Amino acid sequence: MSLASMTAVMCSIIGYIGDKDVAQILIDGLERLEYRGYDSAGIAGLKGDSFTILKRLGRVKNLSDAVEQSMNFGNSGIGHTRWATHGGVSEKNAHPHVSFGGIFTLVHNGVVENYESIKTFLDERGYEFYSDTDTEVLVNLIEYHYRKEQDGGDKFLRSVQKALLHVRGTYGIAVLCKYNICEIVVARKSSPLLIGIGENEMFIASDACAIAAHTKNVVYLNDGELALLTKSDFSITTMKNEKIDAVRCKLDWRMEDVSLGEYEHFMLKEIYEQPLSLANAMRGRFSDDLSTAKFGGLQLSPRELRQIDRIVFCACGTAWHACLVAEYLIERYARIPVEVEYASEFRYRNAPLEKNTLVFIISQSGETLDSFAAMQEAKRKGYMTLAITNVIGSTIARESDGGIYQHSGPEIGVASTKAFTAQLCIVAMLALLLGRLRDMSFDEGTSFVQALVNLPQKISQVLDSGDRIRAIAEKYAHHEHMLFLGRQLMFPIALEGALKLKEISYIHSEGYPAAEMKHGPIALISDKCPCVFLATQSDILQKTISNIQEVRARGARVLVVSSEGNEIPRKCADDLIVIPDTHAALQPILTTIPLQLFAYYIAKARGCEIDKPRNLAKSVTVE
Ligand code: F6R
């Protein structure tokens, strides 16, 4: 099996053991997890000593439609949705996979890096393979060890432990053994997995949203841990069978958070949740005199914060855009030099870091593999690493030295919206905190805090113009190319506007610093390539207007997003969206909102699958 045909997966896992019909529980869970990956889906149930397995290509709906009355999946089972990174999307590659002797079935999230040598080893011992996946190699390795182990005791668990000792790579797995109808074994390394504890029933999931409807009592597995579950109990061990004490947590999610309610798409719901998610990001985080911010989780005293000479921010995608905003804000208000790195570059770049450098990771999911690896690299070098994450108990949150939770609530839409604005809010508050520890005056601090307090109300005002933004968006929906342009703090927002549009509508769109356009991108300008200008900053308004005129002169249609009080000459804009004025540090947040709606309504007009755009998955847990 060559690397090209390996079927590494980035996907999701669900499992159940109890007294209920397992098929419905697995399928409900997979539907909630589908935003993580949706190339194929499958479930396996164990009844008596035989597995019932069903797999379908495409959406979970195809799987649930295929379940027939006559099928009996029993009361314990595992399920999976798959997002293929290498190799084909096919039913034979879909999970669950069954071992050659039929003793085990397994679902897997991750990559077995040394699958080739394991496969050769098993080939030589007569094992045959039906799929192109590394996962099938893993399930067979477990069977190989099972056959070698002494009978009795915890033979099932021991064979999984033994097999995993030989595996290089990443995994979250759930395994059924046909001789142990009352047990499921799970294990994790660099791939999230949690146990949900119910009344005489246990759940397994790679993401809490899959089981939040059933239980709020959970245990997050740590790297290198396995768990043996029965319907009434569970025990956690290391690969070497050392016992681990479980740390129980409570999920703070409500069912409304993971349901569509009155909305057609999660993306729209999450856009409209922003007044609340921003209020939640700020709650309890201002000093009593309302002149600065405070974050309990930073684990750094004011004195230590003052000693920071440099901050490096690392992230991927939308979260990386939040890092760019952090750079502008922290440098402007706290005068601390900031560098922004793509996590995927930083992890291999061996960047020289100065003494007193703080490394900040921003990640909504807290599970993005590149961001986690960047964090590990900084930790390895002995730097303090902090994280801004949304998902409590996520890998990055747990492995960082401290951090700030976003409290955005679950973000289900694949395109990040409310999590991004919460990240912007937190980095603005961080700039305020660090600024107040240095040169920012009390008066500047209180007006900054006041602007933050007023922000949710201003976001609601922007959201109230949703119908107008929809009408404008529909005029642009037929274009195949678009540029987003902004200066200074609006440059990262131009990048974010372009990313939102391209990922959900498949329109080719790019963001640039407005003045950079003359150095190349202007060659693209024509009546077929409209431009979206972000002209919300009054101090550089005239410069932005000059850039607008440059593209108008070349026939481009122009949409301008501006703030109240900014004079935009009529001839500059074919379409104009005016948002409320706010503190300069918070303009990125308000300016983002119309761009989210613009992208959403364009994608809707084009009939795109907004919550599950092609080729994408919510949390990227492979390289
Ligand atoms: C885009 C988007 C992605 C994520 C990126 C990082 O809308 O959602 O670009 O921002 O994959 O994900 P997290 O923040 O979970 O690390």
Side-chain angles (χ1 to χ4, degrees):
M1 181 163 55
S2 70
L3 186 65
S5 67
M6 187 174 98
T7 322
V9 285
M10 180 172 68
C11 33
S12 48
I13 289 174
I14 176 93
Y16 174 80
I17 184 161
D19 295 321
K20 296 183 186 142
D21 169 26
V22 76
Q24 201 47 53
I25 291 176
L26 297 181
I27 284 179
D28 287 349
L30 291 182
E31 273 165 359
R32 295 203 183 280
L33 290 169
E34 204 175 16
Y35 71 110
R36 293 285 187 137
Y38 29 82
D39 290 342
S40 59
I43 54 173
L46 179 56
K47 185 164 170 55
D49 66 353
S50 60
F51 299 126
T52 305
I53 295 183
L54 190 66
K55 306 178 189 187
R56 284 294 179 271
L57 290 187
R59 297 296 157 92
V60 176
K61 173 87 175 57
N62 301 345
L63 183 72
S64 65
D65 288 349
V67 176
E68 288 166 17
Q69 285 290 327
S70 57
M71 294 174 171
N72 190 338
F73 287 86
N75 306 120
S76 62
I78 54 180
H80 191 264
T81 59
R82 175 170 182 262
W83 186 93
T85 53
H86 304 275
V89 176
S90 64
E91 228 163 77
K92 72 172 183 179
N93 288 341
H95 298 213
H97 287 285
V98 181
S99 58
F100 179 55
I103 303 176
F104 293 98
T105 183
L106 172 149
V107 289
H108 168 217
N109 184 10
V111 181
V112 179
E113 286 168 7
N114 57 336
Y115 70 97
E116 243 164 328
S117 60
I118 298 175
K119 181 161 185 276
T120 308
F121 174 86
L122 292 168
D123 264 336
E124 287 164 359
R125 283 152 186 82
Y127 282 79
E128 288 175 22
F129 299 85
Y130 61 87
S131 78
D132 307 322
T133 66
D134 52 338
T135 303
E136 194 191 356
V137 171
L138 182 53
V139 73
N140 278 304
L141 188 63
I142 294 170
E143 183 171 290
Y144 168 80
H145 283 283
Y146 187 84
R147 290 184 188 284
K148 280 188 26 186
E149 284 292 305
Q150 299 275 332
D151 278 345
D154 46 6
K155 183 174 174 185
F156 176 17
L157 177 69
R158 274 184 282 127
S159 8
V160 181
Q161 285 168 335
K162 290 261 165 71
L164 291 178
L165 283 174
H166 297 280
V167 170
R168 244 189 15 248
T170 58
Y171 47 81
I173 56 169
V175 197
L176 294 178
C177 173
K178 75 172 183 174
Y179 301 131
N180 293 64
I181 186 159
C182 301
E183 293 176 353
I184 300 181
V185 171
V186 297
R188 77 155 272 176
K189 186 175 164 215
S190 301
S191 190
L193 214 54
L194 70 149
I195 300 168
I197 306 156
E199 285 280 318
N200 230 19
E201 56 185 0
M202 296 280 169
F203 301 84
I204 301 150
S206 49
D207 182 327
C209 73
I211 57 172
H214 302 288
T215 180
K216 300 280 181 275
N217 298 317
V218 299
V219 171
Y220 292 93
L221 280 193
N222 290 308
D223 267 358
E225 291 179 355
L226 295 96
L228 175 74
L229 285 85
T230 64
K231 68 178 184 179
S232 55
D233 203 4
F234 67 94
S235 58
I236 302 181
T237 62
T238 64
M239 302 295 160
K240 295 194 171 148
N241 207 24
E242 295 135 342
K243 288 263 170 285
I244 303 270
D245 289 332
V247 180
R248 293 178 185 232
C249 310
K250 276 254 182 264
L251 288 180
D252 61 353
W253 290 9
R254 301 161 311 154
M255 266 327 284
E256 312 83 276
D257 294 338
V258 289
S259 313
L260 267 176
E262 70 197 68
Y263 290 93
E264 195 179 340
H265 295 101
F266 278 105
M267 182 177 176
L268 191 64
K269 176 175 183 250
E270 287 157 8
I271 290 173
Y272 274 86
E273 278 171 356
Q274 289 176 107
L276 180 63
S277 55
L278 273 267
N280 287 341
M282 290 184 250
R283 200 176 309 285
R285 287 177 166 167
F286 295 123
S287 61
D288 292 343
D289 64 1
L290 296 181
S291 77
T292 188
K294 57 177 187 186
F295 296 106
L298 279 186
Q299 317 289 3
L300 289 168
S301 66
R303 181 187 292 266
E304 287 166 324
L305 283 170
R306 270 202 62 92
Q307 279 163 3
I308 297 165
D309 291 331
R310 181 172 293 274
I311 305 180
V312 174
F313 278 90
C314 286
C316 304
T318 283
W320 185 77
H321 299 155
C323 297
L324 290 179
V325 173
E327 178 181 22
Y328 279 98
L329 293 182
I330 292 172
E331 291 194 343
R332 182 187 292 186
Y333 294 103
R335 312 297 303 156
I336 300 174
V338 173
E339 277 163 46
V340 177
E341 299 261 3
Y342 283 111
S344 53
E345 294 293 315
F346 180 80
R347 62 182 291 194
Y348 293 120
R349 210 164 66 79
N350 194 20
L353 299 181
E354 288 165 25
K355 231 170 70 192
N356 299 335
T357 296
L358 189 63
V359 177
F360 248 107
I361 307 293
I362 304 187
S363 173
Q364 184 284 130
S365 62
E367 300 294 350
T368 301
L369 189 66
D370 281 325
S371 302
F372 179 55
M375 191 178 95
Q376 298 282 71
E377 170 68 2
K379 277 180 83 166
R380 191 185 59 73
K381 289 181 168 167
Y383 290 92
M384 171 106 184
T385 57
L386 298 176
I388 298 173
T389 51
N390 189 32
V391 180
I392 295 177
S394 57
T395 307
I396 291 175
R398 284 182 302 141
E399 298 288 322
S400 59
D401 296 314
I404 305 171
Y405 278 120
Q406 300 179 206
H407 300 304
S408 315
E411 191 178 64
I412 309 280
V414 166
S416 185
T417 52
K418 64 174 180 174
F420 176 63
T421 49
Q423 288 160 358
L424 296 187
C425 181
I426 287 166
V427 298
M429 292 169 75
L430 203 55
L432 167 65
L433 169 67
L434 297 171
R436 288 284 289 128
L437 287 172
R438 294 182 179 224
D439 295 329
M440 192 191 287
S441 70
F442 177 83
D443 285 350
E444 284 170 311
T446 51
S447 63
F448 202 132
V449 169
Q450 195 50 52
L452 281 159
V453 170
N454 293 341
L455 195 61
Q457 162 62 25
K458 296 199 175 190
I459 292 176
S460 298
Q461 262 173 269
V462 182
L463 292 171
D464 285 344
S465 47
D467 285 343
R468 213 180 98 66
I469 296 171
R470 177 190 191 131
I472 292 173
E474 283 167 359
K475 289 195 249 174
Y476 290 76
H478 64 284
H479 284 283
E480 291 307 326
H481 305 276
M482 227 177 280
L483 292 185
F484 287 71
L485 301 148
R487 285 166 167 264
Q488 308 267 310
L489 271 168
M490 288 306 129
F491 164 52
I493 305 308
L495 292 175
E496 175 61 8
L499 178 63
K500 274 313 74 109
L501 183 65
K502 75 175 80 149
E503 67 182 330
I504 61 167
S505 74
Y506 318 136
I507 292 174
H508 168 235
S509 45
E510 302 298 339
Y512 285 101
E516 268 301 297
M517 200 187 38
K518 293 191 287 296
H519 303 285
I522 200 162
L524 297 171
I525 299 294
S526 74
D527 58 351
K528 298 195 170 45
C529 181
C531 295
V532 179
F533 272 91
L534 309 181
T536 45
Q537 300 141 293
S538 52
D539 51 340
I540 48 171
L541 182 65
Q542 290 318 316
K543 304 263 178 228
T544 310
I545 288 176
S546 307
N547 297 137
I548 297 176
Q549 274 155 351
E550 286 155 12
V551 306
R552 295 277 297 166
R554 285 159 182 86
R557 185 175 185 100
V558 170
L559 163 62
V560 178
V561 180
S562 186
S563 297
E564 274 165 9
N566 283 355
E567 282 285 316
I568 303 291
R570 277 204 77 76
K571 60 179 186 345
C572 273
D574 295 289
D575 298 286
L576 179 65
I577 297 171
V578 181
I579 60 174
D581 194 17
T582 182
H583 191 287
L586 308 182
Q587 271 164 346
I589 301 176
L590 277 191
T591 312
T592 297
I593 314 285
L595 301 186
Q596 294 170 341
L597 287 168
F598 182 68
Y600 174 82
Y601 284 120
I602 287 185
K604 189 161 153 57
R606 289 164 74 99
C608 299
E609 284 228 50
I610 293 176
D611 281 336
K612 299 186 181 80
R614 74 180 176 212
N615 305 338
L616 290 174
K618 183 69 182 164
S619 156
V620 182
T621 51
V622 292
E623 268 193 86

